[in-house]
Amino acid sequence: MTVWRSRVRLWWAIFRVSVEERLVYRGDFAFGTLMRFLPMLTQIFLWWAIFDAMAARPGETSDVNAIRIKGYNLHDMIAYMLLVMLARAFSSMPGLTSGIAGSIQKGEIKKFLIQPVDMLGSLLIQRIAHKLVYYLIAIGPFALVFFLCRSFFDAGFPAPDQLFGLVLALVGSFLLGFAMEACLGLVAFWLLEVTSLAFIFMLLTFFLSGHMFPLDLMPAPLDRLIGMLPFQYLAYFPSAVALGKVTGEDLVWGLVIQYLWVIGCWVLCRWLWVRGLVRYGGYGG
Amino acid sequence: MADDVRTKPQQSANRIVNEPIPDATAGDGITGTGPLVYWRVFRTFVRNSLVRSMGFRANFWLECVSSVCWTIMNLVFFKIVFSYTDSIGRNTGWGENEFFVFLGTTWIITALIQTFVMPNAQEFSELIRTGHLDFALLKPIDTQFLISFPQMVWSNLANLFLGILLVGYAVLRLMADESNPLTLGFTQVGLYLFFILCGLVILYSVMIAMASTSIWLGRNQTLYTFWFYLTNFYRQPMEIYQQGMWGWTLWGFFTFVIPILLVVNVPARILAEPLRPGLDERTWSLAGLTLLVTLLMLGLSRWVFQAALTSYRSASS
C-alpha cells in the first residue's frame, strides 16, 4: 500500500508542476489555437468548388448538397475536417519525439537512471497535464468554431452511445499518439539524430491518419494497406465515429483494435527503452 | 495542417558578420557601388551557402527527401480528387492537366521562396533581436540587399525540379489533347516565366515587409506561421473564392490588399489557358494588375524597410 501511495504522490507532484508550467503562456495559446482554424477556410472553398463542379456535370442533379463522394456530401466533408482538428488535438504530441531524442543526445536521461522515477511514466503524466491545460484554454476557440459551423453537422449532436464511443476513441488516440511518438524518440538510442526521421513520420501521419482527407476516399489497393496500419486511429477513426460513419459492431471492433495498437506500441516502447539503456553511452554533462 | 513543420536548424545569428565580403572592394580600397560588386557579393553568398549545406551531406539529402515527400503527398491528394471530379469549380476550366500546371507552378514558386527568401527573412528578424544588424549597416553596400540574400537553403530547391517536371508533363498532355489542344508560342512561355518572377517579387516584398516589423515588435517569431497561412491561400485557383460574400471578401483582400492570389494564378493561367482557345480578357487584366502590383509592392517594401531602419535601436550594443 505505502508503495502505491508514494507513487501516486509522485505522479501528482509531476502533474502539478506541469500544469503550472503550461499556464504561463495562456494568451498566446488561445490565439494560436484560433489561428489554426484559418486554413479551414481554404478547405471549405476548395471542397465546395470540387462538389460544385461535380454537380455541374451533365446528368447530375445540379444540387451541390446531393452530390456524394464515397458517402460524404459537402457538409460531411467540412464537418470531418473540423472533427479531425479535434482528434489531432488529442493525438498530436508536439515536441515529444524531439524531447526524448534530445535528452538521450545530451545525456539528460541520466537523471532518470539515478532517481526512482520512470522516464516514460513521468513523460506521460506531464503530457496529460499539458493536454488538460490545453483543453481548458482551447475549449473557447474550439466551441466558437464548432458553433459557427454547426450547420455543417447534418446528423446533429451525436447520440449517447456514439458520444461514449467518441470519448473512448479520443482517449485511445491520445495514448496511441503518445506511444508511437515515444517509440520514435527512443530510436535516438541507436541513431542519435532523429529530426529528419521525425519530420518524415509527421508527414506520413498527416497523410495516413486521414488528417488531409477522409481515408474512405483512398483508391483500392491503398485503402487495404492503410486499414492495417495504426495511423488511422489518430484522426480518421474518432472523426468517423463522431460523424456516425462507424456504428454498432464496427465501432466496438474498431475500439478493440485501437486499444490493441495502444498496448502493442506501449510494449514496444518499453522494449526499446530497456534495449536502449544497454546501448546508452551517457554522453554529455 | 502541418504547422509545426519545418523548424530549420537554427543558424548562428552573426552570420553576416563573418561572411567575408569578396575582394571586389579590397583590391583598390574603393568601396564600389556598381552592379558588379553586387553580383560578386551575391556569388559569394551562393558559394558560402552551398559549402554550408554540403558540409552535412546526409542531412542535406534527408532534407531533400522530406520536402519531396510533402510535395508528392500533395500530388496524390489531387490525383484522388480528380478521380471523383473532372474540374475544380464549375466552368472554370481547371481540369486535371490545367490544374497540374497550376500545382507545378505553385511548387516552383514556393521552392524558390523557401530557398532564397524565407531563411533570410527569418535571419533578419534574428539580427534585429540580437543587435547584430549593426554589422550589416556598417558594410559599404545596400543594407536591404545584404540582408536579403546571404543564406540559401538549397535542399528546398528539390521541389523546383519536381515542379518543372509536373508543369512539363501537364503541358505536354494539354498539347496532345485532341478535342481542344493547347498551342504554345515563345511569347507565352516568356510571359509565364516573367510573371513567375513578378510573383516572386510580390512574395519577397510581403515577407521583407513582415520581417521589418520586428524592428518595432522586438521579435517576430510568427514569421514562419505567417508564411504558412499565406501559402494556404495562394496555392488555390482564385475562382474557388469567387462566390458568396465571404468568398468575394477573401478574394478581394488577397487580390488587392495582400495581393498573393496573383502570384500563382496569373502565370498558371497564361501557360495553361484554362478557358482555351486563347487567353481571355480576364487573364490579361489580371496580368496588367500583377505588373502594377509588383512595382507597387516592391516600392512599398523598400519604404517599410527603410522606415523600420530609422527606428532601429541596436539592442545590446
Side-chain angles (χ1 to χ4, degrees):
Chain A
M1 267 325 275
T2 46
V3 174
W4 276 100
R5 191 177 301 158
S6 68
R7 265 192 199 176
V8 169
R9 275 229 310 272
L10 176 68
W11 291 341
W12 178 242
I14 297 173
F15 179 80
R16 237 181 28 228
V17 170
S18 310
V19 165
E20 274 157 25
E21 188 180 87
R22 262 306 140 103
L23 277 171
V24 179
Y25 306 105
R26 51 189 171 259
D28 198 38
F29 232 45
F31 184 67
T33 311
L34 200 59
M35 288 288 280
R36 265 164 205 248
F37 284 101
L38 211 63
M40 275 292 301
L41 274 176
T42 317
Q43 293 276 331
I44 293 176
F45 284 108
L46 183 65
W47 281 113
W48 190 89
I50 292 166
F51 278 92
D52 192 42
M54 288 173 75
R57 280 193 302 213
E60 284 291 351
T61 53
S62 90
D63 172 18
V64 182
N65 293 319
I67 302 289
R68 283 179 182 274
I69 299 179
K70 292 278 171 94
Y72 288 78
N73 65 14
L74 179 57
H75 282 184
D76 292 341
M77 201 61 92
I78 295 165
Y80 176 87
M81 290 294 164
L82 285 166
L83 286 165
V84 155
M85 298 278 290
L86 178 72
R88 287 302 282 158
F90 280 81
S91 62
S92 77
M93 302 283 149
L96 182 63
T97 303
S98 56
I100 294 176
S103 50
I104 291 172
Q105 273 168 20
K106 294 187 203 129
E108 281 165 17
I109 63 160
K110 275 205 252 347
K111 76 178 177 203
F112 292 104
L113 301 181
I114 50 174
Q115 287 170 359
V117 182
D118 165 50
M119 182 173 87
L120 292 172
S122 70
L123 281 177
L124 181 63
I125 295 169
Q126 279 170 15
R127 198 46 72 158
I128 292 172
H130 288 179
K131 285 284 180 191
L132 284 179
V133 174
Y134 174 72
Y135 303 139
L136 204 70
I137 296 160
I139 196 163
F142 263 93
L144 178 70
V145 171
F146 274 74
F147 177 76
L148 288 176
C149 297
R150 64 192 179 284
S151 60
F152 295 123
F153 291 84
D154 285 349
F157 201 73
D161 53 337
Q162 222 179 311
L163 202 63
F164 184 62
L166 174 63
V167 171
L168 284 180
L170 286 175
V171 172
S173 78
F174 166 77
L175 293 171
L176 186 61
F178 181 86
M180 283 170 78
E181 297 219 6
C183 283
L184 199 64
L186 290 171
V187 172
F189 274 124
W190 287 267
L191 296 181
L192 273 187
E193 179 51 55
V194 294
T195 320
S196 301
L197 200 67
F199 185 73
I200 292 172
F201 179 81
M202 197 203 71
L203 290 180
L204 277 180
T205 309
F206 187 63
F207 190 67
L208 300 175
S209 70
H211 193 160
M212 214 172 177
F213 55 87
L215 292 178
D216 310 71
L217 269 61
M218 285 284 179
L222 227 61
D223 60 347
R224 291 287 297 278
L225 179 73
I226 290 168
M228 287 186 278
L229 297 173
F231 294 97
Q232 55 173 317
Y233 297 102
L234 298 175
Y236 167 75
F237 182 66
S239 314
V241 170
L243 278 178
K245 303 254 173 215
V246 186
T247 48
E249 213 169 295
D250 289 343
L251 176 56
V252 176
W253 272 114
L255 285 171
V256 169
I257 297 171
Q258 184 183 22
Y259 278 87
L260 283 177
W261 273 115
V262 170
I263 295 167
C265 288
W266 189 254
V267 169
L268 179 64
C269 235
R270 284 280 162 205
W271 185 77
L272 285 172
W273 171 249
V274 173
R275 301 291 305 173
L277 280 185
V278 175
R279 276 189 58 101
Y280 178 57
Y283 306 109
Chain B
M1 250 167 53
D3 16 52
D4 15 35
V5 189
R6 19 199 87 187
T7 15
K8 290 277 163 216
Q10 277 301 308
Q11 321 217 334
S12 92
N14 49 4
R15 176 128 309 134
I16 282 180
V17 187
N18 302 330
E19 208 85 64
I21 292 288
D23 29 337
T25 54
D28 46 10
I30 296 169
T31 52
T33 45
L36 202 64
V37 174
Y38 284 85
W39 172 240
R40 285 191 188 160
V41 173
F42 184 76
R43 262 195 357 222
T44 313
F45 289 157
V46 170
R47 206 186 52 224
N48 287 358
S49 60
L50 270 174
V51 168
R52 213 176 296 140
S53 305
M54 292 307 176
F56 305 93
R57 205 157 300 173
N59 192 56
F60 173 80
W61 288 114
L62 264 173
E63 274 177 23
C64 287
V65 169
S66 55
S67 44
V68 166
C69 269
W70 173 249
T71 307
I72 300 282
M73 271 165 48
N74 219 288
L75 183 66
V76 172
F77 170 66
F78 282 107
K79 258 308 207 198
I80 291 173
V81 163
F82 279 107
S83 71
Y84 296 102
T85 181
D86 27 57
S87 89
I88 287 189
R90 192 185 285 237
N91 303 329
T92 55
W94 290 116
E96 182 165 349
N97 291 319
E98 287 89 351
F99 184 77
F100 282 170
V101 172
F102 186 97
L103 193 64
T105 310
T106 314
W107 294 352
I108 290 173
I109 290 177
T110 310
L112 288 170
I113 292 286
Q114 287 188 338
T115 305
F116 297 105
V117 178
M118 282 314 290
N120 296 301
Q122 184 81 345
E123 177 76 4
F124 180 42
S125 245
E126 203 47 32
L127 285 175
I128 291 161
R129 193 180 67 81
T130 53
H132 283 121
L133 186 62
D134 297 7
F135 300 100
L137 290 169
L138 288 173
K139 298 266 155 64
I141 197 163
D142 184 74
T143 309
Q144 187 170 354
F145 170 80
L146 192 60
I147 59 109
S148 292
F149 300 106
Q151 301 191 27
M152 297 151 201
V153 180
W154 292 97
S155 55
N156 285 334
L157 223 48
N159 283 334
L160 173 75
F161 299 110
L162 276 187
I164 293 171
L165 277 180
L166 184 65
V167 170
Y169 168 80
V171 163
L172 287 180
R173 292 274 304 257
L174 284 172
M175 289 169 88
D177 185 0
E178 273 167 23
S179 58
N180 188 8
L182 174 74
T183 43
L184 280 182
F186 279 115
T187 341
Q188 229 168 322
V189 176
L191 279 175
Y192 172 73
L193 295 176
F194 175 74
F195 279 103
I196 282 189
L197 196 68
C198 287
L200 291 172
V201 171
I202 292 175
L203 286 176
Y204 162 79
S205 306
V206 171
M207 290 321 296
I208 280 294
M210 261 305 282
S212 300
T213 59
S214 20
I215 286 187
W216 293 300
L217 300 175
R219 181 172 210 180
N220 205 337
Q221 279 186 309
T222 49
L223 211 61
Y224 260 99
T225 325
F226 179 78
W227 163 244
F228 166 71
Y229 290 129
L230 277 192
T231 60
N232 236 301
F233 284 100
Y234 81 60
R235 58 169 71 240
Q236 322 291 341
M238 57 165 70
E239 285 88 345
I240 70 166
Y241 299 111
Q242 293 173 341
Q243 46 111 10
M245 187 193 72
W246 280 95
W248 280 105
T249 312
L250 274 177
W251 176 81
F253 184 78
F254 287 118
T255 306
F256 299 107
V257 185
I258 304 182
I260 51 166
L261 265 180
L262 301 169
V263 169
V264 181
N265 271 280
V266 172
R269 284 183 82 91
I270 287 176
L271 196 67
E273 289 182 29
L275 302 172
R276 276 188 308 279
L279 289 165
D280 57 327
E281 224 164 83
R282 264 198 58 213
T283 309
W284 287 119
S285 42
L286 284 173
L289 180 65
T290 308
L291 210 57
L292 192 71
V293 153
T294 306
L295 293 172
L296 255 173
M297 290 299 290
L298 195 61
L300 194 73
S301 71
R302 179 84 185 164
W303 179 76
V304 170
F305 178 80
Q306 298 205 315
L309 273 194
T310 56
S311 309
Y312 177 60
R313 281 171 310 183
S314 179
S316 80
S317 58

